[in-house]
Amino acid sequence: MSKLDEPDTVEAPVLATPSVWSAIRESLRGNLRQYGMIVALVLIALLFQAMTYQYNGGILTPVNITNLIMQNGHILILAIGMMLVIINGHIDLSVGSVAAFVGAVTGVLIVQWQLPWPLVVVVALVLGGLIGAWQGFWIAYMRIPAFIVTLGGMLLFRGLAQRVLDGQTVAGFPDGFLQLARGYLPGGEGLHVPTVALGLLAAGVVVWLEWRGQQQRVAYGLPTGPSVLFWLRVAALAVVINAFCVTLALHRGLPVLGLILIALIVVYSFVMNKAVVGRQIYAVGGNEKAALLSGVKTKRNTFWVFVNMGALAALAGVIFMARLTSVSPKAGVNFELDAIAAAFVGGASASGGIGTVVGAIVGALVMGVMNMGMSILGLSPDWQQAIKGVVLLLAVAFDVYNKKRVKS
């Protein structure tokens, strides 16, 4: 056989196996926005812990961590809804007034009309959804900018809240209602065993979900990185979840509000990451025209995002009212600014299409840790507002820098 008859042989390229450190570096570089906020939360918490350690052990004691959840629960709820609105490419300035109005109606129905509080809570959520539908109609179908519509809503519902309460503060809620924001899961004295058990269960579920996702990536032939890095990440998640639960267990256990927040985070994370409607929200926020040409009903998508925001604003108003044990016409002031700041600090893009539910929670916790730390240090409200403003500006600047880095 001549040389020309010999079959051509092509040597397969030899791919170098990336080291663990190079894989970590590439992973951090590819997820700079997400990991950056988590690292910032850890650094800010450690900084304030060192600065406040002389005040009864600092901000990372079990009591203060529990208070962090209970004092910022309404902002965490609003931040989830606001993140969806921003991902969709809009903004909502009315959530504080909506929370105040729904809280006012709820207070009147429970205290003055003596209706059963579980029924009133359902009515409040429906009322919030209807308010969201009102605003969503003007934004989605009449194409009026969300900034204008929700600015009008901020004035409208603030005025209605004052009208419903007639300038008075309403108090005297039943204990069952107050437990929504002030109660804890039942348990014995000392270490709260149900909270520890929930931590172990949650860690087991997270490990299983991560392992299942890894197996699916292998089945589809997607890059998975070194297995050592995968198991280190899973182990770190399990340690953090259990450490958090044990910390709460040292002080009366998991609050009822914490259970509500966990349910919201799980449901909304699933919707945004796995459900079709979540993908459509990202698509509309990223490029509305392209989403429309792809068959996405963009108007209906935007409409339901605002319905969802209205319902979450109502829930936040109910939770805030239960924590204060009263409702007043001034409730909910600046809630919208805290929620918007939490979403942007948590990695939302000002141009839409980018953001995560977990990022919104991380952003709200960053703001909450700063509030608590500065309060313990005795900083005046003026300085607290100024520092939070700088943090918000840095978060948006980080977003702009990240976009330029990706384009280059």
Side-chain angles (χ1 to χ4, degrees):
M1 188 170 61
S2 67
K3 205 169 185 179
L4 294 174
D5 297 330
E6 292 178 359
D8 295 335
T9 58
V10 179
E11 293 184 358
V14 178
L15 299 178
T17 303
S19 66
V20 174
W21 289 113
S22 63
I24 293 175
R25 189 167 55 250
E26 289 300 320
S27 179
L28 289 175
R29 185 177 301 169
N31 300 275
L32 183 60
R33 180 192 300 269
Q34 180 180 354
Y35 292 148
M37 290 304 108
I38 296 175
V39 172
L41 173 61
V42 173
L43 293 178
I44 290 173
L46 292 177
L47 175 64
F48 277 106
Q49 169 65 14
M51 296 171 65
T52 60
Y53 184 75
Q54 56 182 325
Y55 302 98
N56 298 321
I59 64 170
L60 295 183
T61 60
V63 176
N64 284 336
I65 290 178
T66 303
N67 289 336
L68 179 67
I69 297 173
M70 301 181 78
Q71 291 175 3
N72 296 279
H74 56 287
I75 298 300
L76 292 167
I77 294 171
L78 289 174
I80 294 174
M82 189 63 73
M83 179 63 87
L84 267 62
V85 171
I86 293 175
I87 290 174
N88 198 243
H90 299 284
I91 199 77
D92 192 337
L93 302 177
S94 68
V95 294
S97 297
V98 173
F101 173 63
V102 174
V105 174
T106 303
V108 170
L109 294 180
I110 293 178
V111 177
Q112 298 182 1
W113 290 23
Q114 298 291 312
L115 294 179
W117 70 264
L119 174 63
V120 175
V121 170
V122 175
V123 171
L125 296 179
V126 173
L127 177 59
L130 291 175
I131 293 173
W134 161 261
Q135 299 193 129
F137 167 76
W138 294 106
I139 296 167
Y141 293 101
M142 303 305 293
R143 310 300 293 175
I144 299 177
F147 178 84
I148 301 299
V149 173
T150 56
L151 180 61
M154 181 175 68
L155 301 174
L156 169 64
F157 296 109
R158 177 62 63 188
L160 290 178
Q162 293 177 346
R163 186 67 182 171
V164 169
L165 294 176
D166 198 20
Q168 304 296 315
T169 297
V170 174
F173 296 102
D175 288 339
F177 177 76
L178 299 181
Q179 293 303 308
L180 288 175
R182 305 169 71 89
Y184 296 85
L185 294 185
E189 298 292 332
L191 186 67
H192 196 265
V193 176
T195 300
V196 177
L198 280 175
L200 293 172
L201 177 62
V205 171
V206 168
V207 171
W208 182 78
L209 289 175
E210 290 289 332
W211 178 81
R212 187 166 175 268
Q214 183 81 345
Q215 295 302 311
Q216 289 178 340
R217 284 191 289 273
V218 172
Y220 288 120
L222 299 174
T224 57
S227 60
V228 175
L229 178 60
F230 168 76
W231 287 112
L232 281 175
R233 182 164 57 87
V234 171
L237 286 173
V239 169
V240 169
I241 292 172
N242 281 288
F244 179 71
C245 290
V246 169
T247 303
L248 294 179
L250 293 173
H251 175 71
R252 305 185 63 180
L254 182 67
V256 174
L257 177 56
L259 198 60
I260 295 173
L261 289 170
I262 290 173
L264 290 175
I265 293 169
V266 171
V267 170
Y268 278 92
S269 295
F270 175 80
V271 169
M272 295 303 291
N273 295 325
K274 302 294 182 181
V276 174
V277 64
R279 305 288 185 185
Q280 291 178 345
I281 291 173
Y282 279 110
V284 173
N287 190 326
E288 185 175 0
K289 291 183 179 178
L292 182 63
L293 293 174
S294 300
V296 177
K297 299 184 183 302
T298 56
K299 294 181 179 178
R300 188 174 68 181
N301 183 278
T302 300
F303 174 79
W304 283 107
V305 165
F306 278 91
V307 171
N308 174 75
M309 184 71 260
L312 288 181
L315 177 60
V318 169
I319 293 296
F320 183 71
M321 184 173 52
R323 186 172 73 83
L324 292 185
T325 70
S326 65
V327 59
S328 71
K330 299 296 182 183
V333 174
N334 290 337
F335 278 12
E336 59 279 349
L337 300 182
D338 290 335
I340 292 171
F344 283 128
V345 171
S349 173
S351 57
I354 296 176
T356 62
V357 173
V358 175
I361 298 299
V362 171
L365 290 177
V366 168
M367 305 301 288
V369 168
M370 292 178 58
N371 283 333
M372 176 176 285
M374 290 187 291
S375 297
I376 293 176
L377 291 173
L379 287 182
S380 66
D382 300 338
W383 277 113
Q384 293 187 27
Q385 293 291 336
I387 292 174
K388 286 192 292 185
V390 172
V391 171
L392 177 59
L393 178 61
L394 292 177
V396 177
F398 176 75
D399 172 54
V400 174
Y401 162 77
N402 204 33
K403 282 182 180 175
K404 291 182 178 178
R405 184 182 62 85
V406 171
K407 287 181 180 178
S408 62

